[in-house]
Amino acid sequence: MQKIIDFIKQIFFTNDFIPLHEPRFIGNEKKYLNECIDSTFVSSVGKFVDQFEKEFALYVGSKYAIATVNGTAALHISLLLADVKKDDEVITQPLTFIATCNAISYIGAKPIFVDVDLDTMGMSPKSLLDFLENNCEIKDNNCINKTTRKIIKACVPMHTFGHPCKIEEIKDICEKWNIVLVEDSAESLGSFYKNKHTGTFGKIAAFSFNGNKIITSGGGGVIVTDDEVLAKKAKHITTTGKIPHPYEYVHDQIAYNYRLPNINAALLVAQMENLDNFLTSKRQLAKIYKEFFSNENITFIKEPANSKSNYWLQAVLLNTKKQRDEFLEYSNKNGVITRPIWKLMNELDMFKDCQTNKLINAKYLEERIVNIPSSVRL
């Protein structure tokens, strides 16, 4: 294992501590922050919010983008806009970050877990279809769970570590079963499936700009959609439901204080200017890792077929859980931060009673996947 530690330190040009993923502020961040501060518009109104939304929508190929305070808020609102209500059910994957299930739970809906594919680590269309055909029926244009008799309103696949799942197949299945497709694209800015950016296949999608994401404003998120009505509603309910007026305070519904502050948007505008450089660096790093691990009897996770991945977090697949645990312990003790993939959501106390399909692949990956240092190299 020392050979691996030495190699990672070599490619990051240091013998010191190496984090898993640290942000890079190498452009106009300080300039735009100072400009924002000087303007005094540091809250949810300001030119940087508007500029970022326009630039982000253009980049991913969506008609509208609505900036939010974080990715979880973006997904929460996306599910509300998909008409998910209390006691509805939402199909998702067990191999995901907790935010996916938290957003579902905020509404009072309940997740259902189907398996992932080994090659994408994202939702398996085969497992999704198998669950629907064996457990559901269409009644009054709704997908009804025959076990619980509840409506399955939405499906939330996640593009794991930036690797696109088989989103086109999932979309076709959702349309057949009258289920709204909401993409959790939190990790996949800069990733494409069949030359189409992730987050633009479903009715609505959410991205994240947390401190460890490929671009960041410390926090931040964004909702994207091609639906003008949904976009206007998203902006309204993320801004406390306030009716526009020069001075009156009138709110027409219970809503949320989820808008991204202008000072954070200033950071994101600067970060977007370097996004292509970040992506190039990450793909170069993936190539270096792939070549190295091919000689180490360790599988490097490469982008799936028909995809171009942002390689947000680089990952390797160890041969056994024991080998994974030894790798994690040794690397972290020697100043190279590595992390396991998430514990399966259905194994957490909050979701252990949720309905599942067979989760064979998800369990296999949970026991073997490790993330290795993935920062943009300078």
Side-chain angles (χ1 to χ4, degrees):
M1 288 188 193
Q2 188 59 45
K3 179 182 176 183
I4 298 174
I5 299 302
D6 291 342
F7 177 75
I8 292 175
K9 289 187 175 182
Q10 175 188 334
I11 62 175
F12 280 97
F13 317 113
T14 181
N15 285 317
D16 298 326
F17 168 85
I18 301 179
L20 183 67
H21 192 286
E22 60 182 345
R24 300 298 189 203
F25 302 113
I26 58 175
N28 289 312
E29 287 86 357
K30 291 181 181 179
K31 176 185 176 182
Y32 295 163
L33 281 174
N34 284 333
E35 186 179 332
C36 180
I37 292 167
D38 289 343
S39 76
T40 73
F41 285 90
V42 296
S43 192
S44 58
V45 175
K47 79 167 193 176
F48 288 109
V49 177
D50 298 336
Q51 183 179 342
F52 171 70
E53 289 177 334
K54 290 176 183 176
E55 291 180 359
F56 192 88
L58 182 64
Y59 184 88
V60 301
S62 179
K63 290 183 179 178
Y64 306 99
I66 302 90
T68 63
V69 70
N70 56 52
T72 308
L75 186 56
H76 179 200
I77 297 300
S78 295
L79 289 164
L80 289 173
L81 295 172
D83 199 34
V84 176
K85 295 182 174 66
K86 183 180 178 181
D87 295 326
D88 284 343
E89 294 177 335
V90 177
I91 298 176
T92 190
Q93 58 197 63
L95 200 66
T96 186
F97 182 56
I98 188 67
T100 308
C101 293
N102 279 346
I104 294 168
S105 302
Y106 294 163
I107 301 171
K110 192 168 186 177
I112 293 170
F113 299 109
V114 299
D115 208 0
V116 298
D117 285 325
L118 291 175
D119 57 339
T120 68
M121 300 181 289
M123 183 180 289
S124 166
K126 184 177 182 297
S127 181
L128 172 62
L129 184 59
D130 178 71
F131 177 85
L132 291 169
E133 289 180 342
N134 287 292
N135 297 278
C136 303
E137 62 183 355
I138 299 293
K139 188 173 182 181
D140 298 327
N141 291 321
N142 289 313
C143 179
I144 304 297
N145 186 331
K146 290 189 287 188
T147 301
T148 63
R149 305 311 305 173
K150 293 182 178 180
I151 296 173
I152 297 177
K153 186 64 66 70
C155 176
V156 184
M158 199 269 286
H159 303 289
T160 306
F161 304 146
H163 296 297
C165 64
K166 299 181 178 75
I167 191 64
E168 196 172 64
E169 294 178 48
I170 293 170
K171 178 183 178 181
D172 291 343
I173 294 168
C174 288
E175 289 177 350
K176 179 181 176 182
W177 285 86
N178 291 345
I179 297 172
V180 181
L181 175 57
V182 177
E183 286 181 73
D184 185 343
S185 301
E187 303 174 354
S188 65
L189 175 58
S191 296
F192 295 80
Y193 184 75
K194 295 184 178 180
N195 298 315
K196 184 177 170 67
H197 201 289
T198 56
T200 61
F201 289 83
K203 187 172 187 177
I204 196 163
F207 290 81
S208 171
F209 311 113
N210 186 38
N212 64 351
K213 293 300 191 295
I214 193 164
I215 66 169
T216 184
S217 55
V222 72
I223 300 163
V224 298
T225 183
D226 285 339
D227 188 312
E228 183 179 7
V229 173
L230 288 184
K232 288 181 178 178
K233 188 173 182 182
K235 191 166 186 177
H236 185 61
I237 64 176
T238 56
T239 321
T240 69
K242 183 180 182 296
I243 297 174
H245 191 278
Y247 51 86
E248 292 286 357
Y249 289 94
V250 179
H251 303 258
D252 62 358
Q253 65 179 100
I254 295 173
Y256 304 88
N257 188 14
Y258 277 179
R259 285 288 280 165
L260 182 73
N262 195 45
I263 198 164
N264 295 89
L267 277 173
L268 285 173
V269 170
Q271 290 268 286
M272 285 289 291
E273 292 173 352
N274 271 308
L275 176 56
D276 287 341
N277 293 330
F278 293 167
L279 292 168
T280 297
S281 176
K282 283 183 166 292
R283 292 186 65 82
Q284 289 172 344
L285 179 60
K287 182 179 179 182
I288 293 169
Y289 274 145
K290 180 182 176 184
E291 292 174 356
F292 175 80
F293 283 108
S294 66
N295 298 314
E296 296 299 315
N297 193 30
I298 293 174
T299 301
F300 176 73
I301 303 298
K302 62 182 187 299
E303 62 192 0
N306 301 311
S307 299
K308 184 175 182 180
S309 174
N310 66 5
Y311 282 104
W312 166 55
L313 284 187
Q314 316 276 352
V316 291
L317 179 74
L318 283 299
N319 297 305
T320 64
K321 184 178 184 300
K322 181 175 182 292
Q323 186 187 24
R324 182 206 72 167
D325 293 344
E326 291 172 350
F327 185 94
L328 287 165
E329 182 177 4
Y330 190 88
S331 59
N332 282 283
K333 279 186 176 180
N334 285 275
V336 173
I337 302 304
T338 59
R339 290 289 183 267
I341 205 167
W342 313 281
K343 186 176 181 65
L344 297 187
M345 293 296 104
N346 62 294
E347 295 179 353
L348 300 178
D349 286 344
M350 306 86 77
F351 307 115
K352 62 185 179 183
D353 62 340
C354 292
Q355 194 172 0
T356 71
N357 211 15
K358 294 178 181 178
L359 305 179
I360 297 170
N361 292 342
K363 189 62 180 175
Y364 180 88
L365 292 170
E366 180 202 30
E367 293 178 346
R368 293 166 175 82
I369 289 289
V370 172
N371 290 126
I372 54 180
S374 306
S375 303
V376 168
R377 295 190 307 151
L378 298 178

